[in-house]
Amino acid sequence: FQAENGKPDWKNTSLLRISLWRGSGAAATVLLHSIRLQTPSIVLLRGTQLTAPGETGLAEASATRALRLFEKAGIPATLASDDLSSLDLRRASLLVLPYNPVLSKAQLDILERFVKRGGHLAVFYQSSTRLARLLGFEVQPYATQSENWTTLSFSQPAVSGLPASMPHLTRHLLPVRAANSSALVLGHWLTPDGIPDRSLPAAALSQNGLWFSHLPPLASASAIQWLLACLAHLDPSLAPSLEQYLADTRQRDAQAAALLDSTPAPDSEIRAVWSLPIPARLREPTLDTLARQGIQTLFEQLVTLADNLPANKPLQTRLSRTVTLAHARHIQLHAWLYALNAEPFAERIPSLRVQGRLMKDAGGNTLPWLCPLHPDNEKLLLSTLDTLAQLGVDGLHLDYIRYPGRNACYCPLHRLAFEKQQGRSISNWPADVLPGGPLSAAYDDFLRTQLTELVARLARQLRAAHPALRLSAAVYPTPSSAAENAQDWPAWIRDRHLDFVSPMLYTADAGLFASMLDLDLAAAAAPRQILPGIGTGADESQLDALSTAQQIQVSRQKQTAGFALFQLDSDLSTRTLPTLFSP
């Protein structure tokens, strides 16, 4: 919503208009009991060019993520401009800096005055030594690594109510350490082997505020609990909010278990999780945990196209053992592979750009996406998939088998193929095929055809060599949204190129989940061609056990192939799965 007069300053509002919508002709009654003016004492500073020059998109996303975290914690908060000199902070008790990396001396002066008169700060991904010193911390050197940090663990008994761990993905950190007696390091980042790295504090707390070494976490159950525990430590009046959250969690967990007990799983149900690469040291305990919790299908990112798997004998040996370990626990292993999105590994294959193997946008700029019309890309994709099949995986699960919307591709190969299809040259390229151009609809059909033919060729060749192999793909949530990315997955399952697809139905709303699933089922020849993707820890949705159970129940009621949970993290493995599935 926005102010009707177009001015963002809500305190000058003189009229409140309440508009109601209804989606059908059903009768409805609305009872309005009261209207109260709310002035939250927690203020989130939305970064602009003032405090996040050149990074306003990231600053906006970080502020939105932080606000979502407070909302799900049940703590009223408001977004405000980062122009501190114009803010009235007399009612504020906590200022949150979600991502405001560039702070002037004048702004730091204001923050210091705010803290000295009793206010608290919550700071994320910040390098200011002065700000850290104000809170009782010392900024450590910037840290990065080629692999993601995925989890942080908490071990500080002085702060009541902390979760044991919290999931969070990043390759970039600005950690701090406690610099005085009132400051506490709350936890540390885990190494890829799952061991706390004492050189990398993840979060810290002092009498003046809290500090997190990266951007605000997604609003997972553990992140909400962490935030409430920190706030209750800073302000004891918020302790009841933490206690209420923990009580509500226990109640919702009980409801989740009862809900799934009332909707028994069919014998043939696929219960799957998506997983990033599992470190060798953690593989066996992770597989043991999944098997104990009833997960019998694992979509794991075993390789990338940059690993040169067909010629990489050591990697082949490791993957063979991986398959053996999964099968020993009656878990089917499907290799989850990025098909066309080369962003995670493009820098490892510098020849891609030189050889013209990457997509191009309408301006001729190279994008980190593999062009599906380049024969070397198809050869690389097929040889990698075939080698995975030879190593004994049960299935191949394609991701990013699509175009990046209408941003691409307009490279010479696409122009040549489209002109051949049209039987004439296109002199006004790419303007004529861009959205709004005279050949836009024809180009949409052309792009969809190219991907469908690629999927068909891959399936034909792989099935000829490996008849028992299961082929699937992670796809956009509905046929219409998929079509916007040239992803005609209804044709892929209708013509049996794929055994099933997993629409990424990432939403916290069980009703919306059911509505999107109905659209998917209407496009499929049989319900078992659809394996709904449930966003337990996706950017779009973070689900607790009850929300997950509600979507599993919908999937069962509609007789789908089962469900796939995105993705395996510490919350899913230690909180959600143990609640939903008894050993």
Side-chain angles (χ1 to χ4, degrees):
F1 295 87
Q2 64 183 14
E4 191 167 280
N5 59 11
K7 297 178 180 178
D9 193 350
W10 284 85
K11 66 175 179 282
N12 294 325
T13 298
S14 59
L15 173 68
L16 174 66
R17 185 191 306 279
I18 299 175
S19 301
L20 305 173
W21 296 266
R22 62 180 180 182
S24 68
T29 301
V30 176
L31 302 179
L32 179 62
H33 293 283
S34 66
I35 297 174
R36 290 177 296 168
L37 182 63
Q38 189 179 62
T39 54
S41 61
I42 296 176
V43 179
L44 283 65
L45 300 180
R46 179 194 281 116
T48 67
Q49 287 291 348
L50 191 63
T51 62
E55 297 184 286
T56 55
L58 177 59
E60 176 73 26
S62 299
T64 300
R65 184 183 282 195
L67 181 61
R68 177 65 173 156
L69 187 59
F70 277 90
E71 287 175 343
K72 290 192 72 173
I75 303 296
T78 184
L79 285 173
S81 164
D82 59 352
D83 183 3
L84 289 168
S85 62
S86 68
L87 291 181
D88 181 357
L89 299 177
R90 286 173 296 179
R91 290 194 179 95
S93 63
L94 175 69
L95 279 182
V96 182
L97 281 67
Y99 185 63
N100 310 83
V102 180
L103 295 171
S104 67
K105 180 182 180 301
Q107 290 170 318
L108 288 168
D109 289 342
I110 293 172
L111 293 175
E112 184 168 350
R113 289 195 296 271
F114 175 76
V115 169
K116 286 185 174 178
R117 67 168 181 261
H120 297 111
L121 299 180
V123 181
F124 295 87
Y125 204 39
Q126 177 61 249
S127 62
S128 170
T129 55
R130 179 182 171 187
L131 191 59
R133 196 182 313 116
L134 175 65
L135 298 186
F137 308 133
E138 181 181 314
V139 179
Q140 300 293 94
Y142 164 78
T144 186
Q145 62 180 21
S146 58
E147 297 179 79
N148 279 307
W149 284 283
T150 63
T151 312
L152 52 128
S153 66
F154 296 107
S155 57
Q156 181 50 257
V159 177
S160 176
L162 282 174
S165 61
M166 185 172 83
H168 187 80
L169 279 175
T170 179
R171 290 194 298 165
H172 312 280
L173 296 175
L174 283 170
V176 294
R177 69 174 185 86
N180 63 39
S181 58
S182 75
L184 303 167
V185 169
L186 299 183
H188 297 84
W189 292 96
L190 299 185
T191 68
D193 286 338
I195 301 171
D197 186 340
R198 299 299 174 185
S199 69
L200 290 176
L205 189 63
S206 74
Q207 62 185 6
N208 292 333
L210 66 94
W211 193 287
F212 189 67
S213 53
H214 194 241
L215 301 173
L218 295 172
S220 65
S222 292
I224 295 168
Q225 186 177 337
W226 162 75
L227 177 67
L228 285 170
C230 290
L231 294 180
H233 186 82
L234 290 172
D235 182 357
S237 70
L238 292 176
S241 297
L242 172 62
E243 294 166 3
Q244 185 63 53
Y245 176 76
L246 295 175
D248 289 345
T249 297
R250 290 190 293 269
Q251 182 180 25
R252 287 176 65 84
D253 285 351
Q255 292 174 324
L259 184 62
L260 287 194
D261 284 344
S262 70
T263 314
D267 292 338
S268 57
E269 178 179 74
I270 298 174
R271 294 185 295 278
V273 296
W274 278 284
S275 176
L276 296 173
I278 300 173
R281 183 176 176 273
L282 299 179
R283 178 163 298 281
E284 292 198 59
T286 299
L287 292 174
D288 287 339
T289 298
L290 292 177
R292 187 168 59 250
Q293 294 166 346
I295 299 298
Q296 20 76 325
T297 302
L298 175 62
F299 299 151
E300 184 182 352
Q301 284 186 358
L302 297 173
V303 297
T304 73
L305 294 178
D307 290 320
N308 192 19
L309 180 62
N312 192 333
K313 298 302 180 184
L315 180 55
Q316 291 182 28
T317 300
R318 292 199 299 273
L319 292 185
S320 292
R321 174 168 168 72
T322 296
V323 173
T324 300
L325 291 173
H327 287 174
R329 293 157 176 81
H330 306 288
I331 292 178
Q332 290 202 353
L333 185 63
H334 293 229
W336 170 22
L337 186 73
Y338 280 20
L340 297 179
N341 185 350
E343 188 169 5
F345 57 83
E347 72 278 1
R348 292 166 57 191
I349 315 180
S351 61
L352 291 175
R353 183 190 299 269
V354 177
Q355 295 172 1
R357 293 172 59 181
L358 297 176
M359 292 189 194
K360 290 184 180 294
D361 65 16
N365 303 301
T366 301
L367 302 176
W369 286 71
L370 296 177
C371 173
L373 300 192
H374 199 292
D376 287 344
N377 290 337
E378 183 172 340
K379 181 180 177 182
L380 174 62
L381 183 56
L382 177 60
S383 63
T384 301
L385 294 170
D386 182 66
T387 305
L388 285 164
Q390 291 176 38
L391 296 173
V393 298
D394 301 282
L396 299 171
H397 185 68
L398 300 176
D399 201 355
Y400 290 99
I401 183 73
R402 62 176 179 85
Y403 287 89
R406 263 313 211 104
N407 291 334
C409 179
Y410 306 97
C411 74
L413 289 175
H414 275 72
R415 178 178 185 176
L416 184 64
F418 183 66
E419 289 178 337
K420 181 178 179 181
Q421 184 205 66
Q422 294 292 302
R424 63 186 180 90
S425 62
I426 311 296
S427 58
N428 194 18
W429 180 273
D432 282 356
V433 301
L434 291 175
L439 296 174
S440 176
Y443 201 66
D444 285 338
D445 291 338
F446 166 78
L447 294 177
R448 285 191 289 269
T449 298
Q450 300 313 304
L451 279 191
T452 297
E453 290 179 350
L454 173 61
V455 171
R457 287 193 301 272
L458 293 173
R460 186 165 54 248
Q461 295 175 78
L462 290 166
R463 285 209 175 97
H466 315 281
L469 194 65
R470 299 275 282 168
L471 299 178
S472 63
V475 297
Y476 262 64
T478 62
S480 59
S481 61
E484 293 171 1
N485 294 269
Q487 193 179 61
D488 189 8
W489 61 254
W492 303 351
I493 54 175
R494 181 185 62 241
D495 297 334
R496 307 290 180 176
H497 304 322
L498 301 181
D499 294 290
F500 62 88
V501 293
S502 292
M504 298 176 286
L505 306 175
Y506 301 159
T507 174
D509 187 326
L512 178 58
F513 176 88
S515 298
M516 292 191 293
L517 183 52
D518 283 338
L519 296 174
D520 297 334
L521 293 171
R528 291 195 58 77
Q529 291 181 321
I530 303 296
L531 184 73
I534 298 175
T536 55
D539 287 352
E540 301 89 340
S541 59
Q542 302 84 50
L543 309 182
D544 65 2
L546 180 56
S547 297
T548 303
Q550 290 168 341
Q551 297 188 16
I552 290 174
Q553 184 188 47
V554 170
S555 302
R556 289 176 174 174
Q557 290 172 340
K558 295 183 182 297
Q559 301 179 337
T560 67
F563 58 86
L565 306 177
F566 182 87
Q567 63 181 342
L568 186 61
D569 58 24
S570 59
D571 264 21
L572 184 62
S573 61
T574 65
R575 299 177 72 122
T576 303
L577 290 178
T579 300
L580 298 182
F581 305 110
S582 301

